[in-house]
Amino acid sequence: MSAPSPARGPEGPGDRLSRIRRRFGEFATEYADLPLYAALCRNLSEDDEAASLLLAARPGQARPVLWLAAVHDLVLRNPDSTAAQWYPSVVRRRAPLEGDPWPDVRQFALAHRAELEACIATHGTQTNEVNRSVYVALGLALAAADVPDLPVALLELGASAGLLLGVERYAVELTAPAGREGEAPVRLGDPGSPVRCSGVDRRGVARRLGEHGVGLPRVAARVGLDLAPVDVADDGAVRWLEACLWPDVPGRVERFRAARAVLRDDPPVLVAGDMVDDLPAALARAADGAGPDGHVVVLTSWALTYLDPARRADVLDHLGGLAARGRALSWLSAEPPGCVPGLVTTVEGVAGVEGNTVLGLHRWRDGRALEPVVLGTCQAHGAWVDVSPDLVESTVLHQSSR
Ligand SMILES: C[S@@+](CC[C@H](N)C(=O)[O-])C[C@H]1O[C@@H](n2cnc3c(N)ncnc32)[C@H](O)[C@@H]1O
């Protein structure tokens, strides 16, 4: 029999720092293709003094992305600093400077230690990824395919700044997969928009929808519900969201800024609240915006996954409550596998693909619920969608109560 192991005491600052440094090392390995962030994290994994800024984080928040976001935020506020010249989001270069960014960034971070610690102690990272409009546009077209003439009120739960609510005001391109590069992309939304979103349509579903005459419906109202909504007019709050983006990923920050500019003159209604407790009021607001016969399309994108699993069925119950009154209602979900009640996520390959997102559709028509459909899968930031045109034809286009 082996000797009992000594009881483990609470983790001390030295243990925490070792764990933080290890996480920086893991980040550098996992994202080795990011020239700036991989270089910073590689150095941080060996630098106690710089890595120790993360000791200020709230419990559970001491992740490399928080350090990176805090420094990015400071760099965005100090665009003339030497450190800022390494950030494509500041100097607007597609490729970062040649050489080693660490000496400049380290010196900058340590010179602003107190400010950065205050930021790290009070913030968490948050994402509102505009390129997700690729799967939102496709899903919205499908949600409205059987009721194309009804005005839509879009209600996003976990909307953040509500940038996805502007989907049909963006130029969304679904491009042909490798080997079929000659085919023109299918375009949804506003082709002249400065907001350019793009993803590979692995199975050509967008083209097939076009052949059926399926496109985006008219969006009459947009409502977002979030525990901590971000007002697109609030420069500080928007800059933090921007700072949470990775400046190394080409086009990401530019797309974010363009979407903010487009929505600023006509922003969605954003409501602070919980997606279960405050859902009935948000649904009533969306229904008002849709008009008496309008179609309410509820969207969740990487949001339900943050809700306690025991509360997820409550979302479905509230939606069923509104739909029972006869209104056309749809719920488009883009969440990790196994997250959305009522969706049987047996899509081949779902569990095995890194960063995968299941695209699902619940619909209620004329007071009754249709069979929920797993449309397919997509990359978490909309880089590709994998939806079978045959499945969509049999389950969405040819199965409805109308
Ligand atoms: C990862 S962000 C996704 C934002 C956006 N849907 C997107 O796809 O870009 C998740 C959002 O869900 C919100 N959230 C988490 N739990 C929530 C809850 N119980 N009720 C309302 N919003 C919630 C967070 O505040 C955050 O803005």
Side-chain angles (χ1 to χ4, degrees):
M1 213 166 88
S2 58
S5 51
R8 289 192 60 164
E11 193 181 45
D15 301 328
R16 277 190 75 201
L17 189 53
S18 304
R19 188 157 46 88
I20 284 168
R21 282 186 23 209
R22 198 169 54 246
R23 285 185 177 172
F24 277 119
E26 287 162 4
F27 186 101
T29 306
E30 190 171 349
Y31 300 104
D33 55 332
L34 297 178
L36 176 64
Y37 273 12
L40 299 186
C41 288
R42 214 170 21 254
N43 283 284
L44 278 155
S45 71
E46 295 168 357
D47 189 324
D48 275 352
E49 193 182 2
S52 70
L53 290 173
L54 261 193
L55 290 173
R58 290 176 293 196
Q61 297 288 324
R63 295 176 296 129
V65 285
L66 182 56
W67 192 104
L68 295 167
V71 173
H72 191 195
D73 182 63
L74 195 60
V75 154
L76 290 168
R77 279 187 283 139
N78 293 275
D80 297 327
S81 62
T82 313
Q85 309 318 305
W86 294 96
Y87 281 72
S89 52
V90 176
V91 294
R92 293 168 198 251
R93 285 193 189 90
R94 288 261 159 184
L97 293 179
E98 291 290 313
D100 182 3
W102 183 237
D104 288 337
V105 175
R106 179 180 198 275
Q107 201 259 342
F108 179 76
L110 294 179
H112 294 85
R113 180 167 200 118
E115 205 175 336
L116 285 172
E117 283 176 340
C119 173
I120 285 169
T122 50
H123 285 70
T125 52
Q126 206 186 357
T127 315
N128 197 185
E129 177 51 53
V130 179
N131 204 56
R132 289 178 176 154
S133 299
V134 169
Y135 59 64
V136 174
L138 181 66
L140 178 57
L142 286 167
D146 63 320
V147 285
D149 300 327
L150 299 188
V152 163
L154 206 48
L155 167 61
E156 185 178 4
L157 313 182
S160 189
L163 299 183
L164 293 181
L165 289 165
V167 55
E168 96 299 355
R169 299 180 70 187
Y170 308 154
V172 178
E173 273 194 1
L174 288 126
T175 61
R180 301 206 332 245
E181 286 87 354
E183 287 178 20
V186 174
R187 297 193 167 88
L188 295 170
D190 172 4
S193 174
V195 187
R196 322 293 301 176
C197 301
S198 163
V200 176
D201 181 6
R202 288 185 168 173
R203 302 214 210 175
V205 68
R207 184 162 306 283
R208 188 84 71 87
L209 289 181
E211 288 161 12
H212 284 283
V214 172
L216 287 183
R218 182 171 76 81
V219 177
R222 303 156 218 278
V223 181
L225 177 63
D226 199 288
L227 283 178
V230 175
D231 179 352
V232 289
D234 179 338
D235 288 338
V238 171
R239 196 190 52 241
W240 177 251
L241 264 190
E242 187 177 323
C244 290
L245 301 176
W246 299 1
D248 277 336
V249 181
R252 205 172 164 199
V253 171
E254 291 77 1
R255 193 161 34 236
F256 175 92
R257 289 175 180 159
R260 187 224 186 166
V262 162
L263 292 189
R264 254 189 110 142
D265 58 3
D266 181 16
V269 174
L270 290 187
V271 181
D274 175 76
M275 71 171 85
V276 174
D277 297 342
D278 300 296
L279 183 52
L283 278 170
R285 198 158 186 166
D288 268 0
D293 300 318
H295 177 195
V296 173
V297 178
V298 175
L299 165 68
T300 65
S301 160
W302 282 89
L304 199 76
T305 183
Y306 296 100
L307 189 69
D308 178 350
R311 302 179 72 217
R312 290 176 189 159
D314 297 344
V315 172
L316 202 52
D317 289 347
H318 283 312
L319 300 187
L322 176 68
R325 286 174 239 157
R327 178 181 286 279
L329 178 70
S330 304
W331 175 14
L332 172 64
S333 55
E335 301 287 348
C339 185
V340 177
L343 281 189
V344 183
T345 46
T346 50
V347 178
E348 205 182 319
V350 163
V353 182
E354 157 75 12
N356 221 338
T357 307
V358 177
L359 207 53
L361 185 61
H362 288 69
R363 293 175 299 165
W364 294 259
R365 299 290 186 264
D366 301 322
R368 72 182 183 91
L370 306 186
E371 191 64 34
V373 181
V374 174
L375 298 171
T377 58
C378 46
Q379 193 271 337
H381 287 178
W384 53 261
V385 291
D386 194 324
V387 174
S388 155
D390 294 341
L391 176 118
V392 155
E393 276 180 341
S394 61
T395 60
V396 180
L397 303 187
H398 298 146
Q399 173 234 25
S400 89
S401 60
R402 286 176 187 236

PDB file of all heavy atoms in Angstrom, residues 126-129 132 135 156-160 164 225-228 273-275 301-303 306-307 311, ligand 1:
ATOM      1  N   GLN A 126     -13.796  39.617 -23.395  1.00  0.00           N
ATOM      2  CA  GLN A 126     -15.128  39.481 -23.992  1.00  0.00           C
ATOM      3  C   GLN A 126     -14.968  39.509 -25.517  1.00  0.00           C
ATOM      4  O   GLN A 126     -14.086  40.211 -26.017  1.00  0.00           O
ATOM      5  CB  GLN A 126     -16.002  40.659 -23.540  1.00  0.00           C
ATOM      6  CG  GLN A 126     -17.482  40.327 -23.542  1.00  0.00           C
ATOM      7  CD  GLN A 126     -18.366  41.531 -23.232  1.00  0.00           C
ATOM      8  OE1 GLN A 126     -17.881  42.608 -22.958  1.00  0.00           O
ATOM      9  NE2 GLN A 126     -19.668  41.337 -23.296  1.00  0.00           N
ATOM     10  N   THR A 127     -15.799  38.761 -26.208  1.00  0.00           N
ATOM     11  CA  THR A 127     -15.670  38.710 -27.669  1.00  0.00           C
ATOM     12  C   THR A 127     -16.985  39.086 -28.332  1.00  0.00           C
ATOM     13  O   THR A 127     -18.033  38.600 -27.922  1.00  0.00           O
ATOM     14  CB  THR A 127     -15.354  37.267 -28.143  1.00  0.00           C
ATOM     15  OG1 THR A 127     -14.350  36.733 -27.311  1.00  0.00           O
ATOM     16  CG2 THR A 127     -14.910  37.232 -29.585  1.00  0.00           C
ATOM     17  N   ASN A 128     -16.916  39.922 -29.355  1.00  0.00           N
ATOM     18  CA  ASN A 128     -18.051  40.100 -30.262  1.00  0.00           C
ATOM     19  C   ASN A 128     -17.454  40.025 -31.663  1.00  0.00           C
ATOM     20  O   ASN A 128     -16.865  40.987 -32.140  1.00  0.00           O
ATOM     21  CB  ASN A 128     -18.749  41.435 -30.014  1.00  0.00           C
ATOM     22  CG  ASN A 128     -20.146  41.523 -30.602  1.00  0.00           C
ATOM     23  OD1 ASN A 128     -20.777  42.561 -30.554  1.00  0.00           O
ATOM     24  ND2 ASN A 128     -20.661  40.457 -31.152  1.00  0.00           N
ATOM     25  N   GLU A 129     -17.531  38.855 -32.261  1.00  0.00           N
ATOM     26  CA  GLU A 129     -16.795  38.571 -33.494  1.00  0.00           C
ATOM     27  C   GLU A 129     -17.678  38.792 -34.719  1.00  0.00           C
ATOM     28  O   GLU A 129     -18.602  38.013 -34.976  1.00  0.00           O
ATOM     29  CB  GLU A 129     -16.282  37.122 -33.440  1.00  0.00           C
ATOM     30  CG  GLU A 129     -15.568  36.664 -34.668  1.00  0.00           C
ATOM     31  CD  GLU A 129     -14.456  37.619 -35.113  1.00  0.00           C
ATOM     32  OE1 GLU A 129     -13.583  37.950 -34.303  1.00  0.00           O
ATOM     33  OE2 GLU A 129     -14.481  38.037 -36.287  1.00  0.00           O
ATOM     34  N   ARG A 132     -18.609  36.171 -37.522  1.00  0.00           N
ATOM     35  CA  ARG A 132     -19.654  35.163 -37.273  1.00  0.00           C
ATOM     36  C   ARG A 132     -20.904  35.464 -38.101  1.00  0.00           C
ATOM     37  O   ARG A 132     -21.794  34.632 -38.209  1.00  0.00           O
ATOM     38  CB  ARG A 132     -19.995  35.121 -35.785  1.00  0.00           C
ATOM     39  CG  ARG A 132     -18.885  34.518 -34.958  1.00  0.00           C
ATOM     40  CD  ARG A 132     -19.193  34.512 -33.483  1.00  0.00           C
ATOM     41  NE  ARG A 132     -18.138  33.828 -32.754  1.00  0.00           N
ATOM     42  CZ  ARG A 132     -17.823  34.038 -31.475  1.00  0.00           C
ATOM     43  NH1 ARG A 132     -18.514  34.918 -30.766  1.00  0.00           N
ATOM     44  NH2 ARG A 132     -16.864  33.366 -30.904  1.00  0.00           N
ATOM     45  N   TYR A 135     -22.071  32.653 -40.530  1.00  0.00           N
ATOM     46  CA  TYR A 135     -23.053  31.602 -40.202  1.00  0.00           C
ATOM     47  C   TYR A 135     -24.393  32.201 -39.780  1.00  0.00           C
ATOM     48  O   TYR A 135     -25.435  31.580 -39.964  1.00  0.00           O
ATOM     49  CB  TYR A 135     -22.513  30.579 -39.205  1.00  0.00           C
ATOM     50  CG  TYR A 135     -22.036  31.029 -37.832  1.00  0.00           C
ATOM     51  CD1 TYR A 135     -22.894  31.600 -36.896  1.00  0.00           C
ATOM     52  CD2 TYR A 135     -20.710  30.813 -37.443  1.00  0.00           C
ATOM     53  CE1 TYR A 135     -22.455  31.957 -35.620  1.00  0.00           C
ATOM     54  CE2 TYR A 135     -20.259  31.168 -36.164  1.00  0.00           C
ATOM     55  CZ  TYR A 135     -21.146  31.747 -35.265  1.00  0.00           C
ATOM     56  OH  TYR A 135     -20.716  32.096 -34.001  1.00  0.00           O
ATOM     57  N   GLU A 156     -31.062  38.944 -30.172  1.00  0.00           N
ATOM     58  CA  GLU A 156     -29.877  38.157 -29.826  1.00  0.00           C
ATOM     59  C   GLU A 156     -29.724  38.084 -28.306  1.00  0.00           C
ATOM     60  O   GLU A 156     -29.727  39.111 -27.613  1.00  0.00           O
ATOM     61  CB  GLU A 156     -28.606  38.767 -30.440  1.00  0.00           C
ATOM     62  CG  GLU A 156     -27.400  37.856 -30.161  1.00  0.00           C
ATOM     63  CD  GLU A 156     -26.090  38.323 -30.765  1.00  0.00           C
ATOM     64  OE1 GLU A 156     -26.043  39.413 -31.361  1.00  0.00           O
ATOM     65  OE2 GLU A 156     -25.102  37.581 -30.625  1.00  0.00           O
ATOM     66  N   LEU A 157     -29.569  36.866 -27.791  1.00  0.00           N
ATOM     67  CA  LEU A 157     -29.333  36.651 -26.364  1.00  0.00           C
ATOM     68  C   LEU A 157     -27.827  36.509 -26.170  1.00  0.00           C
ATOM     69  O   LEU A 157     -27.195  35.673 -26.811  1.00  0.00           O
ATOM     70  CB  LEU A 157     -30.054  35.387 -25.879  1.00  0.00           C
ATOM     71  CG  LEU A 157     -31.514  35.237 -26.314  1.00  0.00           C
ATOM     72  CD1 LEU A 157     -32.122  33.962 -25.736  1.00  0.00           C
ATOM     73  CD2 LEU A 157     -32.328  36.460 -25.897  1.00  0.00           C
ATOM     74  N   GLY A 158     -27.238  37.327 -25.294  1.00  0.00           N
ATOM     75  CA  GLY A 158     -25.780  37.336 -25.154  1.00  0.00           C
ATOM     76  C   GLY A 158     -25.180  38.111 -26.308  1.00  0.00           C
ATOM     77  O   GLY A 158     -24.266  37.656 -26.989  1.00  0.00           O
ATOM     78  N   ALA A 159     -25.713  39.327 -26.538  1.00  0.00           N
ATOM     79  CA  ALA A 159     -25.396  40.077 -27.762  1.00  0.00           C
ATOM     80  C   ALA A 159     -24.093  40.859 -27.679  1.00  0.00           C
ATOM     81  O   ALA A 159     -23.605  41.349 -28.689  1.00  0.00           O
ATOM     82  CB  ALA A 159     -26.537  41.046 -28.068  1.00  0.00           C
ATOM     83  N   SER A 160     -23.547  41.059 -26.473  1.00  0.00           N
ATOM     84  CA  SER A 160     -22.355  41.884 -26.301  1.00  0.00           C
ATOM     85  C   SER A 160     -22.641  43.299 -26.832  1.00  0.00           C
ATOM     86  O   SER A 160     -23.557  43.943 -26.364  1.00  0.00           O
ATOM     87  CB  SER A 160     -21.153  41.216 -26.974  1.00  0.00           C
ATOM     88  OG  SER A 160     -19.969  41.895 -26.654  1.00  0.00           O
ATOM     89  N   LEU A 164     -23.513  41.482 -34.249  1.00  0.00           N
ATOM     90  CA  LEU A 164     -24.091  40.485 -35.160  1.00  0.00           C
ATOM     91  C   LEU A 164     -25.506  40.873 -35.585  1.00  0.00           C
ATOM     92  O   LEU A 164     -26.020  40.370 -36.583  1.00  0.00           O
ATOM     93  CB  LEU A 164     -24.108  39.097 -34.502  1.00  0.00           C
ATOM     94  CG  LEU A 164     -22.735  38.467 -34.259  1.00  0.00           C
ATOM     95  CD1 LEU A 164     -22.876  37.086 -33.629  1.00  0.00           C
ATOM     96  CD2 LEU A 164     -21.953  38.362 -35.562  1.00  0.00           C
ATOM     97  N   LEU A 225     -29.950  41.307 -25.829  1.00  0.00           N
ATOM     98  CA  LEU A 225     -30.042  41.158 -24.378  1.00  0.00           C
ATOM     99  C   LEU A 225     -28.696  40.618 -23.903  1.00  0.00           C
ATOM    100  O   LEU A 225     -28.189  39.644 -24.467  1.00  0.00           O
ATOM    101  CB  LEU A 225     -31.172  40.161 -24.061  1.00  0.00           C
ATOM    102  CG  LEU A 225     -31.418  39.791 -22.594  1.00  0.00           C
ATOM    103  CD1 LEU A 225     -31.841  41.005 -21.776  1.00  0.00           C
ATOM    104  CD2 LEU A 225     -32.520  38.713 -22.512  1.00  0.00           C
ATOM    105  N   ASP A 226     -28.117  41.255 -22.899  1.00  0.00           N
ATOM    106  CA  ASP A 226     -26.813  40.796 -22.408  1.00  0.00           C
ATOM    107  C   ASP A 226     -26.674  41.206 -20.941  1.00  0.00           C
ATOM    108  O   ASP A 226     -27.165  42.257 -20.531  1.00  0.00           O
ATOM    109  CB  ASP A 226     -25.674  41.428 -23.231  1.00  0.00           C
ATOM    110  CG  ASP A 226     -24.367  40.657 -23.077  1.00  0.00           C
ATOM    111  OD1 ASP A 226     -23.746  40.729 -21.989  1.00  0.00           O
ATOM    112  OD2 ASP A 226     -23.956  39.975 -24.041  1.00  0.00           O
ATOM    113  N   LEU A 227     -25.968  40.380 -20.179  1.00  0.00           N
ATOM    114  CA  LEU A 227     -25.691  40.739 -18.781  1.00  0.00           C
ATOM    115  C   LEU A 227     -24.900  42.037 -18.717  1.00  0.00           C
ATOM    116  O   LEU A 227     -25.073  42.829 -17.804  1.00  0.00           O
ATOM    117  CB  LEU A 227     -24.850  39.632 -18.120  1.00  0.00           C
ATOM    118  CG  LEU A 227     -25.556  38.357 -17.695  1.00  0.00           C
ATOM    119  CD1 LEU A 227     -24.530  37.385 -17.109  1.00  0.00           C
ATOM    120  CD2 LEU A 227     -26.664  38.646 -16.677  1.00  0.00           C
ATOM    121  N   ALA A 228     -23.999  42.239 -19.682  1.00  0.00           N
ATOM    122  CA  ALA A 228     -23.145  43.431 -19.692  1.00  0.00           C
ATOM    123  C   ALA A 228     -23.051  43.957 -21.123  1.00  0.00           C
ATOM    124  O   ALA A 228     -22.023  43.810 -21.783  1.00  0.00           O
ATOM    125  CB  ALA A 228     -21.755  43.074 -19.168  1.00  0.00           C
ATOM    126  N   GLY A 273     -29.561  42.492 -19.031  1.00  0.00           N
ATOM    127  CA  GLY A 273     -30.379  41.529 -18.298  1.00  0.00           C
ATOM    128  C   GLY A 273     -29.927  40.111 -18.560  1.00  0.00           C
ATOM    129  O   GLY A 273     -29.027  39.859 -19.368  1.00  0.00           O
ATOM    130  N   ASP A 274     -30.579  39.208 -17.869  1.00  0.00           N
ATOM    131  CA  ASP A 274     -30.246  37.787 -17.945  1.00  0.00           C
ATOM    132  C   ASP A 274     -31.096  37.112 -19.030  1.00  0.00           C
ATOM    133  O   ASP A 274     -32.285  37.417 -19.172  1.00  0.00           O
ATOM    134  CB  ASP A 274     -30.527  37.157 -16.577  1.00  0.00           C
ATOM    135  CG  ASP A 274     -30.316  35.666 -16.593  1.00  0.00           C
ATOM    136  OD1 ASP A 274     -29.155  35.240 -16.572  1.00  0.00           O
ATOM    137  OD2 ASP A 274     -31.328  34.923 -16.661  1.00  0.00           O
ATOM    138  N   MET A 275     -30.474  36.202 -19.762  1.00  0.00           N
ATOM    139  CA  MET A 275     -31.164  35.619 -20.915  1.00  0.00           C
ATOM    140  C   MET A 275     -32.295  34.661 -20.530  1.00  0.00           C
ATOM    141  O   MET A 275     -33.045  34.222 -21.399  1.00  0.00           O
ATOM    142  CB  MET A 275     -30.183  34.973 -21.874  1.00  0.00           C
ATOM    143  CG  MET A 275     -29.543  33.711 -21.387  1.00  0.00           C
ATOM    144  SD  MET A 275     -28.629  32.924 -22.717  1.00  0.00           S
ATOM    145  CE  MET A 275     -27.054  33.763 -22.641  1.00  0.00           C
ATOM    146  N   SER A 301     -25.304  32.973 -30.146  1.00  0.00           N
ATOM    147  CA  SER A 301     -24.024  32.621 -30.760  1.00  0.00           C
ATOM    148  C   SER A 301     -22.974  32.661 -29.665  1.00  0.00           C
ATOM    149  O   SER A 301     -22.690  33.730 -29.109  1.00  0.00           O
ATOM    150  CB  SER A 301     -23.710  33.643 -31.867  1.00  0.00           C
ATOM    151  OG  SER A 301     -22.338  33.645 -32.173  1.00  0.00           O
ATOM    152  N   TRP A 302     -22.448  31.511 -29.300  1.00  0.00           N
ATOM    153  CA  TRP A 302     -21.445  31.410 -28.242  1.00  0.00           C
ATOM    154  C   TRP A 302     -21.898  32.188 -26.996  1.00  0.00           C
ATOM    155  O   TRP A 302     -21.143  32.967 -26.427  1.00  0.00           O
ATOM    156  CB  TRP A 302     -20.060  31.844 -28.745  1.00  0.00           C
ATOM    157  CG  TRP A 302     -19.470  30.739 -29.547  1.00  0.00           C
ATOM    158  CD1 TRP A 302     -19.617  30.544 -30.889  1.00  0.00           C
ATOM    159  CD2 TRP A 302     -18.706  29.618 -29.059  1.00  0.00           C
ATOM    160  NE1 TRP A 302     -19.003  29.367 -31.271  1.00  0.00           N
ATOM    161  CE2 TRP A 302     -18.429  28.785 -30.162  1.00  0.00           C
ATOM    162  CE3 TRP A 302     -18.245  29.240 -27.800  1.00  0.00           C
ATOM    163  CZ2 TRP A 302     -17.700  27.599 -30.056  1.00  0.00           C
ATOM    164  CZ3 TRP A 302     -17.515  28.057 -27.678  1.00  0.00           C
ATOM    165  CH2 TRP A 302     -17.258  27.253 -28.808  1.00  0.00           C
ATOM    166  N   ALA A 303     -23.120  31.977 -26.605  1.00  0.00           N
ATOM    167  CA  ALA A 303     -23.670  32.674 -25.432  1.00  0.00           C
ATOM    168  C   ALA A 303     -24.373  31.690 -24.504  1.00  0.00           C
ATOM    169  O   ALA A 303     -24.179  31.710 -23.296  1.00  0.00           O
ATOM    170  CB  ALA A 303     -24.625  33.769 -25.883  1.00  0.00           C
ATOM    171  N   TYR A 306     -22.477  29.803 -21.883  1.00  0.00           N
ATOM    172  CA  TYR A 306     -22.096  30.414 -20.598  1.00  0.00           C
ATOM    173  C   TYR A 306     -23.214  30.315 -19.557  1.00  0.00           C
ATOM    174  O   TYR A 306     -23.024  30.700 -18.415  1.00  0.00           O
ATOM    175  CB  TYR A 306     -21.713  31.892 -20.799  1.00  0.00           C
ATOM    176  CG  TYR A 306     -20.493  32.022 -21.673  1.00  0.00           C
ATOM    177  CD1 TYR A 306     -20.605  32.349 -23.026  1.00  0.00           C
ATOM    178  CD2 TYR A 306     -19.219  31.773 -21.164  1.00  0.00           C
ATOM    179  CE1 TYR A 306     -19.487  32.434 -23.840  1.00  0.00           C
ATOM    180  CE2 TYR A 306     -18.099  31.855 -21.970  1.00  0.00           C
ATOM    181  CZ  TYR A 306     -18.240  32.182 -23.306  1.00  0.00           C
ATOM    182  OH  TYR A 306     -17.135  32.246 -24.102  1.00  0.00           O
ATOM    183  N   LEU A 307     -24.381  29.836 -19.986  1.00  0.00           N
ATOM    184  CA  LEU A 307     -25.513  29.725 -19.059  1.00  0.00           C
ATOM    185  C   LEU A 307     -25.440  28.382 -18.341  1.00  0.00           C
ATOM    186  O   LEU A 307     -25.139  27.355 -18.965  1.00  0.00           O
ATOM    187  CB  LEU A 307     -26.820  29.825 -19.868  1.00  0.00           C
ATOM    188  CG  LEU A 307     -28.106  29.952 -19.074  1.00  0.00           C
ATOM    189  CD1 LEU A 307     -28.181  31.313 -18.374  1.00  0.00           C
ATOM    190  CD2 LEU A 307     -29.316  29.790 -20.014  1.00  0.00           C
ATOM    191  N   ARG A 311     -30.262  25.726 -16.534  1.00  0.00           N
ATOM    192  CA  ARG A 311     -31.197  26.808 -16.887  1.00  0.00           C
ATOM    193  C   ARG A 311     -31.471  26.871 -18.399  1.00  0.00           C
ATOM    194  O   ARG A 311     -32.293  27.674 -18.834  1.00  0.00           O
ATOM    195  CB  ARG A 311     -30.641  28.154 -16.418  1.00  0.00           C
ATOM    196  CG  ARG A 311     -30.378  28.224 -14.910  1.00  0.00           C
ATOM    197  CD  ARG A 311     -29.798  29.575 -14.530  1.00  0.00           C
ATOM    198  NE  ARG A 311     -30.774  30.649 -14.609  1.00  0.00           N
ATOM    199  CZ  ARG A 311     -30.512  31.880 -15.019  1.00  0.00           C
ATOM    200  NH1 ARG A 311     -29.307  32.205 -15.411  1.00  0.00           N
ATOM    201  NH2 ARG A 311     -31.457  32.788 -15.046  1.00  0.00           N
TER     202      ARG A 311
HETATM  203  C1  LIG B   1     -18.592  35.133 -26.070  1.00  0.00           C
HETATM  204  S1  LIG B   1     -19.693  36.498 -25.983  1.00  0.00           S
HETATM  205  C2  LIG B   1     -20.540  36.267 -27.533  1.00  0.00           C
HETATM  206  C3  LIG B   1     -21.034  37.568 -28.098  1.00  0.00           C
HETATM  207  C4  LIG B   1     -21.759  37.431 -29.425  1.00  0.00           C
HETATM  208  N1  LIG B   1     -22.942  36.612 -29.287  1.00  0.00           N
HETATM  209  C5  LIG B   1     -20.857  36.870 -30.492  1.00  0.00           C
HETATM  210  O1  LIG B   1     -21.085  35.724 -30.932  1.00  0.00           O
HETATM  211  O2  LIG B   1     -19.927  37.555 -30.943  1.00  0.00           O
HETATM  212  C6  LIG B   1     -20.903  35.915 -24.793  1.00  0.00           C
HETATM  213  C7  LIG B   1     -21.821  37.002 -24.284  1.00  0.00           C
HETATM  214  O3  LIG B   1     -22.846  36.375 -23.501  1.00  0.00           O
HETATM  215  C8  LIG B   1     -23.150  37.232 -22.398  1.00  0.00           C
HETATM  216  N2  LIG B   1     -23.806  36.424 -21.360  1.00  0.00           N
HETATM  217  C9  LIG B   1     -23.272  35.410 -20.643  1.00  0.00           C
HETATM  218  N3  LIG B   1     -24.194  34.908 -19.791  1.00  0.00           N
HETATM  219  C10 LIG B   1     -25.343  35.607 -19.978  1.00  0.00           C
HETATM  220  C11 LIG B   1     -26.653  35.570 -19.396  1.00  0.00           C
HETATM  221  N4  LIG B   1     -26.972  34.708 -18.431  1.00  0.00           N
HETATM  222  N5  LIG B   1     -27.575  36.436 -19.858  1.00  0.00           N
HETATM  223  C12 LIG B   1     -27.272  37.344 -20.807  1.00  0.00           C
HETATM  224  N6  LIG B   1     -26.046  37.438 -21.387  1.00  0.00           N
HETATM  225  C13 LIG B   1     -25.094  36.584 -20.978  1.00  0.00           C
HETATM  226  C14 LIG B   1     -21.794  37.805 -22.009  1.00  0.00           C
HETATM  227  O4  LIG B   1     -21.928  39.010 -21.267  1.00  0.00           O
HETATM  228  C15 LIG B   1     -21.135  38.011 -23.382  1.00  0.00           C
HETATM  229  O5  LIG B   1     -21.363  39.316 -23.877  1.00  0.00           O
END
